[in-house]
Amino acid sequence: MSLPHAILTALLEKPSSGLELTRRFDRSIGYFWSATHQQIYRELGKLEADGHIRALPTEQPTRGQKKSYEVLPAGRAELARWTSASQDPKPYRDTMLLRLRASAVVGTEGIEADLRRHLALHQSQLAEYEEIEKRDFQPARDAPQDRLRHLVLRAGIDLETFWTQWLTHALAEFEQLPGENG
C-alpha cells in the first residue's frame, strides 16, 4: 500500500509527469522505496480513478503528450490519514543473511566473493548518500521539511554504515575459518 503514498508525497512536493516521477524515484525516493516505470504508471491510473490526483490541463491536447499530475484534496487527506496511522515494523528479510546461514550446512563456496561484492556496493551507496548530505543539507537549511528529509537521508547513511561495518566484520570472520582463506 505504500507505493501510492510515495507517489502522493512526490506529487505534493512537485506536480510531475509519470516519466518525471520515474526519474525522481531513481534519484531520491528510490533510495528507500523503489518502483518500476510500469508500476508508477499503473499506480497513477489507480490514483486518478480514485479521485486522489488529476492530470493537469494542457493548453492544447496532443496525442502522446506527457500528462503532468497534481494531488487533489482527497489525495492529500489520504496521505495525511496514512502518515498519522500506526504501523508495526515489517519483519526483516535479507537473502544474503539466509545464504550465509545456509552456507553453514552446505559449504561456503562463492559466498566470500559475494560478501566482498556486497561490501563494495554498500560502500558506493554510502559515499553517494554522504555526497547528497554534503551537497543538499547544509546547517543553514533548518526548515522543518528539510530536517525531515535529512532524517530520511540519515537513515540511509546509518543503514549503509551498518552494512559496511557488518560486511567488514563478516569478511574478517571468513579469514579465521579453517580452510577458507583465499
Side-chain angles (χ1 to χ4, degrees):
M1 184 74 168
S2 294
L3 178 56
H5 299 103
I7 291 172
L8 287 170
T9 299
L11 289 174
L12 279 169
E13 291 173 343
K14 179 183 176 198
S16 305
S17 69
L19 181 58
E20 291 165 339
L21 280 172
T22 299
R23 289 178 181 151
R24 287 173 59 205
F25 264 74
D26 289 345
R27 287 191 322 265
S28 62
I29 293 170
Y31 292 136
F32 57 90
W33 195 269
S34 62
T36 65
H37 186 73
Q38 293 83 4
Q39 289 171 316
I40 289 171
Y41 273 92
R42 188 171 39 249
E43 223 34 74
L44 285 169
K46 290 178 187 176
L47 288 167
E48 190 172 25
D50 291 343
H52 290 157
I53 65 171
R54 73 175 180 127
L56 291 169
T58 58
E59 296 288 319
Q60 33 185 290
T62 308
R63 186 171 175 83
Q65 180 181 11
K66 68 179 181 177
K67 291 194 262 185
S68 287
Y69 296 90
E70 69 177 355
V71 177
L72 295 170
R76 181 182 283 276
E78 168 55 23
L79 190 58
R81 183 208 59 78
W82 181 73
T83 59
S84 66
S86 177
Q87 292 186 353
D88 292 335
K90 300 287 182 218
Y92 183 71
R93 296 167 46 171
D94 186 276
T95 305
M96 176 54 79
L97 295 177
L98 181 58
R99 289 175 54 222
L100 193 57
R101 175 77 182 249
S103 72
V105 290
V106 298
T108 61
E109 185 175 333
I111 196 107
E112 184 177 1
D114 209 29
L115 285 169
R116 290 187 191 289
R117 188 179 69 80
H118 277 237
L119 177 58
L121 291 169
H122 284 288
Q123 287 170 329
S124 175
Q125 189 66 69
L126 177 58
E128 187 173 345
Y129 285 168
E130 288 173 336
E131 185 58 36
I132 291 169
E133 183 179 45
K134 193 183 310 176
R135 181 190 70 220
D136 294 344
F137 294 100
Q138 298 301 314
R141 292 188 70 176
D142 202 30
Q145 298 88 344
D146 290 329
R147 292 178 73 168
L148 292 175
R149 287 181 186 114
H150 192 200
L151 267 176
V152 174
L153 180 61
R154 280 301 321 168
I157 291 170
D158 291 347
L159 285 169
E160 295 302 333
T161 299
F162 162 78
W163 281 113
T164 57
Q165 290 172 348
W166 182 85
L167 286 160
T168 300
H169 175 77
L171 288 164
E173 285 292 324
F174 262 80
E175 290 181 12
Q176 302 301 312
L177 295 175
E180 298 295 334
N181 297 347

